[in-house]
Amino acid sequence: MDQPTASGAAGDDGFKVARFAAPLRHGVVESIRTAIALGRFRAGERLPERTLCDLTGVSRTLVREALRQLESEGLVTVLPHRGPIVAGLTPEQAEGIYEVRCELEGLASLLFAQRADGAARVALHAALEGLKSASLATDPIAWLTAKTQFYDDLIAGSGNAAVGQSLHLLNCRITVLRATSLEAPGRAEQSIAELAALVEALMARDGVAAREAARHHVRMAASVAIANLRRSQEGAE
């Protein structure tokens, strides 16, 4: 199985924002977030407005609004005399975020097993198949889109919007770690196997097994991301 990698992006055209997106600002936010997740911009790197306008194909006003949104999420920091940069994370901060994410995704999975109706179960199974298909391509944007769809369906089936909102904020904060995770050899295949085990437990309505499968998936993702973060910081010293 070929693994989508951050370096495998087919140029910057994939970050252009569709004009029919509603609302358009949401599309700009998602495009910049994806660019960061794929390593187009790394932690500590400046985010020049003109570069972002060219990248997304939208106006400077929309880019500024998107940057304010990303700043409120903790993904972007605005420094005096430098402007907006991609916010960095220490290994300790990342560990704390993953600890909370572990519990929230476990809870979401438990609730899904207890509450999801037939339509939600069909949607999640289809999302897993979409993720498998995306892993066969070399387009990392397709992989991230499929992963987002999977979690959107998981949260929808859990029936708890507060869990989804909390997870969204946590995942925004660790977006900067996704590029190195995507580049980890074999991680895509491992991730799919972990999520397949989760879906199997969810389809069986086994809340206990589903919760543990979700927590295991997050722990594995954390181990890769934090190890890569430590290596990158050691290399920069």
Side-chain angles (χ1 to χ4, degrees), residues 10-17 31 34 55 141:
D12 286 344
D13 288 344
F15 300 110
K16 295 295 184 187
V17 177
S31 180
T34 298
L55 187 70
I141 294 179

Side-chain angles (χ1 to χ4, degrees), residues 15-203:
F15 300 110
K16 295 295 184 187
V17 177
R19 288 286 171 179
F20 53 81
L24 185 57
R25 186 181 71 171
H26 175 75
V28 181
V29 170
E30 290 303 313
S31 180
I32 297 173
R33 184 184 289 119
T34 298
I36 294 171
L38 297 180
R40 177 64 174 75
F41 302 99
R42 300 280 183 169
E45 188 173 345
R46 291 185 64 247
L47 295 164
E49 288 182 2
R50 172 47 53 194
T51 299
L52 295 176
C53 288
D54 293 341
L55 187 70
T56 60
V58 301
S59 69
R60 194 180 291 263
T61 297
L62 282 169
V63 164
R64 287 174 179 168
E65 291 176 355
L67 288 172
R68 283 195 290 270
Q69 173 65 35
L70 293 170
E71 182 183 10
S72 73
E73 296 174 357
L75 184 55
V76 168
T77 299
V78 178
L79 298 180
H81 312 300
R82 286 197 67 194
I85 67 168
V86 179
L89 279 174
T90 66
E92 292 72 25
Q93 288 172 326
E95 286 174 348
I97 291 171
Y98 275 110
E99 284 175 351
V100 179
R101 178 184 160 189
C102 183
E103 298 307 318
L104 287 176
E105 287 195 18
L107 175 59
S109 298
L110 174 64
L111 294 176
F112 186 103
Q114 295 172 343
R115 301 175 177 177
D117 59 18
R121 288 153 61 85
V122 168
L124 187 67
H125 192 274
L128 177 63
E129 294 305 310
L131 194 57
K132 291 177 180 178
S133 297
S135 71
L136 298 175
T138 57
D139 181 5
I141 294 179
W143 169 260
L144 288 178
T145 300
K147 198 78 179 287
T148 298
Q149 184 63 56
F150 180 89
Y151 281 107
D152 285 348
D153 291 334
L154 177 65
I155 296 302
S158 77
N160 190 316
V163 171
Q165 291 165 357
S166 299
L167 278 172
H168 173 72
L169 290 175
L170 288 174
N171 287 327
C172 287
R173 191 68 184 88
I174 57 175
T175 293
V176 70
L177 302 181
R178 284 190 167 184
T180 53
S181 296
L182 280 170
E183 293 164 356
R187 179 55 198 155
E189 294 93 331
Q190 186 180 20
S191 179
I192 288 174
E194 293 159 7
L195 293 176
L198 168 60
V199 170
E200 182 178 358
L202 290 171
M203 295 303 110

